Amino acid sequence: MMEITLRLEEEKDYRIVENLTREAFWNNHVPGCDEHLLIHNLRKSNEFIKELDFVAIHEDKIVGNIVYVKSKVKKEEVENSVITFGPVSVLPDYQNKGIGSKLINHTVKLAKETGYNGIIIYGDPVYYKRFGFIESKNFNITNKEKKFPVALLVLELYPGALNGIEGIFDEGKVYEVDKNEAEEFDKLFPKKEKGYSKTQDRFNELVDKYV
């Protein structure tokens, strides 16, 4: 079994992790990707949770990463704090070896111990339900269009933690990526060809699907 250790990300890791993230997501959801700019910007935001920013290491090589930010559920004038993670990145050659699961399980445990109440993400339910995530409709939590996407998933970190918390999930402007900024940022990395992959079909299917 592959030996993987986890530690907090350090500043010296930043560009390595950005390149790792680019490799992990390239042509995955769309032709090319912008997740490497996203993680670059997330670290600079006030919502970034540094104590949950972990890298996975195999034989002194960083092969995976997970990051978290503070987010909100809003109903009229009431705002309740939750957290969200993403991107979760694993180098292609190391995918399907349990590294993503290790990063998620470790940080979910830490989030519980820290006292956070719940995690809300956009993700593939087939993958994330194994960690206990369920559709947001169970909590009456919607997206900004007040709909229930199948990809909007919630994990309550202790029983009853999200009682009375309902409304619109707002992951914050930090997750909005400017396409022009993304193109300029990508020029700092080795050139890669944008193209189609079958995983894009699954992504598009989830984007347009509601409970």
Side-chain angles (χ1 to χ4, degrees):
M1 189 172 178
M2 184 176 288
E3 187 175 333
I4 298 293
T5 57
L6 304 181
R7 66 162 170 79
L8 288 167
E9 185 189 29
E10 300 172 10
E11 193 169 341
K12 64 182 173 63
D13 306 323
Y14 285 1
R15 184 46 59 94
I16 296 169
V17 169
E18 287 161 10
N19 192 65
L20 176 160
T21 302
R22 182 175 184 252
E23 293 293 324
F25 285 94
W26 194 259
N27 292 337
N28 196 341
H29 295 155
V30 297
C33 75
D34 55 23
E35 280 83 358
H36 50 314
L37 172 61
L38 175 58
I39 193 169
H40 178 79
N41 289 339
L42 288 177
R43 294 196 201 97
K44 298 184 288 184
S45 76
N46 292 331
E47 291 77 29
F48 188 67
I49 306 174
K50 191 167 178 57
E51 62 269 23
L52 293 177
D53 171 20
F54 275 81
V55 292
I57 298 170
H58 175 64
E59 295 180 347
D60 296 325
K61 178 180 181 179
I62 296 175
V63 298
N65 172 247
I66 190 170
V67 294
Y68 283 74
V69 297
K70 296 174 184 176
S71 50
K72 296 170 183 169
V73 176
K74 299 179 178 179
K75 186 176 183 182
E76 297 170 354
E77 301 302 312
V78 178
E79 292 186 353
N80 286 288
S81 296
V82 289
I83 60 176
T84 187
F85 63 65
V88 183
S89 309
V90 177
L91 281 173
D93 287 347
Y94 293 84
Q95 291 174 8
N96 302 311
K97 299 180 187 298
I99 296 170
S101 295
K102 192 174 180 103
L103 284 163
I104 292 166
N105 286 326
H106 179 70
T107 52
V108 165
K109 182 173 181 286
L110 280 181
K112 287 180 183 178
E113 293 169 355
T114 305
Y116 291 110
N117 57 1
I119 301 170
I120 303 179
I121 60 166
Y122 284 97
D124 190 335
V126 173
Y127 180 75
Y128 285 104
K129 281 185 177 180
R130 72 183 71 174
F131 302 101
F133 283 87
I134 60 175
E135 286 93 351
S136 67
K137 190 170 187 177
N138 292 277
F139 296 91
N140 201 28
I141 294 172
T142 72
N143 65 5
K144 291 175 184 175
E145 288 76 45
K146 298 186 177 180
K147 295 180 179 180
F148 298 103
V150 295
L152 185 57
L153 304 167
V154 178
L155 177 65
E156 200 172 39
L157 288 177
Y158 57 88
L162 298 177
N163 282 355
I165 296 179
E166 60 179 47
I168 297 170
F169 173 57
D170 183 2
E171 59 188 348
K173 291 191 179 297
V174 68
Y175 274 96
E176 296 174 8
V177 174
D178 180 273
K179 293 301 178 187
N180 292 327
E181 184 187 2
E183 284 184 18
E184 288 303 308
F185 186 69
D186 195 60
K187 291 176 182 177
L188 302 174
F189 296 81
K191 185 172 176 58
K192 289 174 72 72
E193 291 298 318
K194 296 181 180 181
Y196 164 79
S197 70
K198 288 184 178 180
T199 56
Q200 293 171 21
D201 294 336
R202 174 64 176 162
F203 178 72
N204 290 326
E205 176 193 332
L206 287 173
V207 166
D208 298 323
K209 196 171 182 181
Y210 298 91
V211 177

